[in-house]
């Protein structure tokens, strides 16, 4: 979510929540975190606006973007904060100082990075180097299939 509340990336792992409801929920999440000061922690417990019980918001702000995970109480808050940090570092190395425009114009690469980390709502990888290596391998495969128009090299960096 950017600072204006616009969705830049959305993955919902709960199948029973329709897309229109997801967008309404994101607006409620944005309202909940945007009014919080920088001096408050990055956790909002008992977020009752979410359709499933026992939900908490874990978020972290970076410049004009706010990365948000909605989890249940069984997840470690610090582990999710670390996951956000690894995700942002991965994007930063992939795009050389990631910015909001990278998420807009390279949404497929951002999705691939997230899918390397989280599948079906379960965290599967937290090693930034392994994630970047996998992204580089995917880029090599796509470029070897004649996708010469891709602006990303096999290393994941802009040409």
């Amino acid at each position: 979510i950017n600072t204006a509340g616009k969705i830049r990336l959305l993955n919902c792992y709960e199948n029973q929540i329709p897309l229109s409801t997801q967008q309404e929920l994101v607006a409620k999440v944005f309202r909940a975190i945007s009014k919080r000061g920088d001096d408050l922690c990055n956790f909002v417990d008992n977020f009752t606006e979410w359709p499933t019980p026992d939900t908490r918001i874990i978020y972290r702000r970076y410049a004009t973007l706010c990365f948000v995970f909605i989890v249940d109480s069984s997840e470690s808050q610090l582990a999710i904060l670390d996951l956000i940090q690894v995700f942002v570092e991965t994007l930063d190395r992939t795009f050389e100082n990631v910015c909001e425009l990278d998420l807009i114009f390279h949404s497929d690469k951002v999705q691939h990075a997230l899918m390397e980390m989280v599948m079906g709502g379960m965290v599967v990888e937290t090693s930034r180097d392994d994630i970047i290596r996998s992204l580089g391998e995917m880029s090599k495969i796509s470029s070897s299939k004649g996708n010469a128009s891709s602006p990303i090299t096999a290393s994941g960096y802009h040409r």
Side-chain angles (χ1 to χ4, degrees):
I1 306 173
N2 70 7
T3 53
K6 297 207 183 282
I7 300 169
R8 295 303 180 209
L9 175 67
L10 175 64
N11 278 12
C12 186
Y13 300 104
E14 294 184 34
N15 294 336
Q16 69 268 23
I17 302 176
L19 183 60
S20 60
T21 305
Q22 289 176 24
Q23 292 173 341
E24 291 172 19
L25 290 169
V26 169
K28 291 176 182 179
V29 167
F30 176 73
R31 282 193 297 274
I33 62 176
S34 65
K35 63 184 176 185
R36 294 173 60 90
D38 290 337
D39 57 332
L40 296 175
C41 72
N42 295 348
F43 314 121
V44 179
D45 287 327
N46 301 319
F47 183 63
T48 57
E49 303 281 343
W50 202 261
T52 55
D54 198 25
T55 303
R56 65 173 49 139
I57 301 171
I58 301 172
Y59 68 97
R60 193 153 193 187
R61 291 186 179 108
Y62 294 91
T64 62
L65 294 169
C66 186
F67 293 83
V68 181
F69 279 70
I70 309 295
V71 299
D72 63 20
S73 65
S74 67
E75 294 288 342
S76 165
Q77 295 172 331
L78 295 177
I80 298 298
L81 269 181
D82 186 52
L83 183 70
I84 294 171
Q85 179 70 29
V86 169
F87 183 55
V88 171
E89 287 175 3
T90 298
L91 295 177
D92 206 42
R93 283 199 32 203
T94 301
F95 297 113
E96 296 182 26
N97 296 324
V98 67
C99 68
E100 187 173 349
L101 292 176
D102 291 319
L103 281 100
I104 295 168
F105 293 114
H106 303 288
S107 61
D108 57 332
K109 290 170 183 60
V110 175
Q111 281 287 353
H112 287 143
L114 185 59
M115 287 189 312
E116 284 294 317
M117 299 175 71
V118 179
M119 287 188 145
M122 301 295 294
V123 177
V124 294
E125 183 61 69
T126 58
S127 169
R128 181 189 65 216
D129 293 333
D130 288 348
I131 296 163
I132 291 170
R133 187 173 16 274
S134 294
L135 293 174
E137 290 169 3
M138 281 192 282
S139 183
K140 281 181 188 177
I141 290 170
S142 69
S143 64
S144 71
K145 290 185 178 183
N147 188 4
S149 64
S150 175
I152 302 295
T153 65
S155 68
Y157 290 96
H158 290 276
R159 289 186 195 158

